[in-house]
Amino acid sequence: MKKFLFMIVMLAMALSASAQENEKYETVYLNNGQVIKGKITAYEPKSHLVIRTDDGQVLRYDINEVERVQRRQRPDNVAFNGDFNGKGPQQGYRGFVDGQATFRSGKYGFSRFGVSTTHGYQFRPWLFAGVGYEYYLFKDQMDKKYSTHTIFGDVRIDFMKSSVDPFLDLRVGYNTGKNMGLMVSPSMGLRIALGKNTPLALNMGVGYSFQRMRHVYYFYDDLHSDGPYYLIDGKGDHNTTLIDMGTQISGGFTVRLGIEF
């Protein structure tokens, strides 16, 4: 978990550096001490200037009111700044199909492999919300096979309005498999657009999945030297000793690769 938090911090630092790829815009200093920040849309050296402010106002000033004008930098391609610009995710429906794998971590971890699909709406350049479905195949530590179905809500934060866009994603849902329950899966990744004027994009993500197991059983077989094991359904044979460990959290590192449309 510490490694995942460290990755998030490093991503935030990278985004801060990326914000320096900026569009020029201006700060106007007036003789009365007022400071106006925005984009100059009209300028007549002997008459006036017109500036569109950061909050959308359009203001006109006579040249004799202006002390000086200073150029500055604006992170226009950052998703938190302004509206859609046609380069990143666009407002409206947004869908995903992913292949994914979760690799066991910790005492109660179980590796899982499956697919998922998510459908929702892009409300702002930085904000997506939707619902999705995951199907997983996996084995417990005694190689017993299971398949599970999970319905989840999904919130995604996109950081850049560009063809290459880092993001954070959070899925929270419920797994309907036997002895399963709440699922939480935060991740981070990269969206790469597959062309201009198309919603198609490649998505790659890494994260960590927390799966609540309502019953995990401890198994030890005196006939085997490589025990103990942990399993889910609690079924053994005459050589086994099973102990119900109660509710546990099964953790694992998750990798996703998919298409956005």
Side-chain angles (χ1 to χ4, degrees):
M1 188 63 184
K2 290 182 179 179
K3 291 183 178 179
F4 180 67
L5 292 175
F6 175 75
M7 291 170 66
I8 292 178
V9 172
M10 294 301 293
L11 176 62
M13 293 174 64
L15 292 173
S16 177
S18 297
Q20 301 305 314
E21 299 179 4
N22 302 322
E23 172 191 338
K24 292 286 188 180
Y25 76 140
E26 294 81 26
T27 301
V28 176
Y29 295 86
L30 301 181
N31 293 327
N32 62 7
Q34 189 177 1
V35 177
I36 312 298
K37 297 182 179 182
K39 180 69 177 178
I40 293 178
T41 59
Y43 176 64
E44 293 292 338
K46 297 182 180 181
S47 175
H48 68 277
L49 63 79
V50 177
I51 183 170
R52 185 179 68 248
T53 65
D54 292 348
D55 60 5
Q57 297 183 69
V58 178
L59 304 175
R60 184 184 186 280
Y61 296 99
D62 292 338
I63 289 299
N64 58 14
E65 297 181 84
V66 178
E67 176 187 342
R68 60 189 172 93
V69 176
Q70 180 179 330
R71 303 283 268 181
R72 60 195 178 102
Q73 299 290 318
R74 179 180 183 178
D76 187 61
N77 64 340
V78 175
F80 294 93
N81 187 356
D83 213 332
F84 299 91
N85 69 352
K87 296 181 180 179
Q90 298 302 295
Q91 186 174 26
Y93 168 78
R94 197 175 177 195
F96 306 85
V97 174
D98 299 296
Q100 55 195 48
T102 297
F103 302 97
R104 57 174 289 188
S105 174
K107 182 185 293 186
Y108 305 107
F110 300 97
S111 294
R112 307 185 286 277
F113 303 90
V115 295
S116 67
T117 182
T118 309
H119 305 269
Y121 194 86
Q122 190 76 25
F123 293 93
R124 298 292 298 162
W126 57 274
L127 177 62
F128 166 85
V131 295
Y133 164 78
E134 284 183 352
Y135 175 76
Y136 263 124
L137 292 171
F138 72 101
K139 297 179 181 180
D140 65 17
Q141 295 180 21
M142 282 299 294
D143 288 332
K144 293 185 178 182
K145 297 179 180 180
Y146 302 87
S147 62
T148 63
H149 309 270
T150 303
I151 303 298
F152 59 87
D154 187 12
V155 175
R156 175 162 158 165
I157 304 299
D158 291 277
F159 288 91
M160 307 296 290
K161 296 184 291 185
S162 63
S163 58
V164 179
D165 167 33
F167 65 82
L168 294 178
D169 185 88
L170 176 63
R171 298 180 177 187
V172 179
Y174 188 85
N175 189 324
T176 62
K178 183 176 181 179
N179 287 338
M180 300 294 183
L182 179 68
M183 180 277 294
V184 178
S185 181
S187 64
M188 60 190 296
L190 198 65
R191 172 189 182 271
I192 303 175
L194 296 181
K196 296 181 179 179
N197 302 316
T198 175
L200 294 177
L202 179 68
N203 285 269
M204 301 174 288
V206 295
Y208 199 87
S209 293
F210 302 87
Q211 176 62 63
R212 180 176 182 265
M213 304 285 193
R214 294 199 295 272
H215 292 281
V216 175
Y217 293 87
Y218 174 92
F219 164 82
Y220 188 82
D221 189 341
D222 291 334
L223 301 179
H224 295 81
S225 61
D226 55 350
Y229 304 92
Y230 294 91
L231 52 152
I232 298 171
D233 63 12
K235 295 179 181 179
D237 56 38
H238 64 280
N239 293 319
T240 64
T241 300
L242 296 178
I243 301 174
D244 187 347
M245 304 300 290
T247 298
Q248 301 293 342
I249 300 298
S250 175
F253 292 95
T254 298
V255 178
R256 294 190 181 99
L257 177 64
I259 293 292
E260 171 186 335
F261 52 89

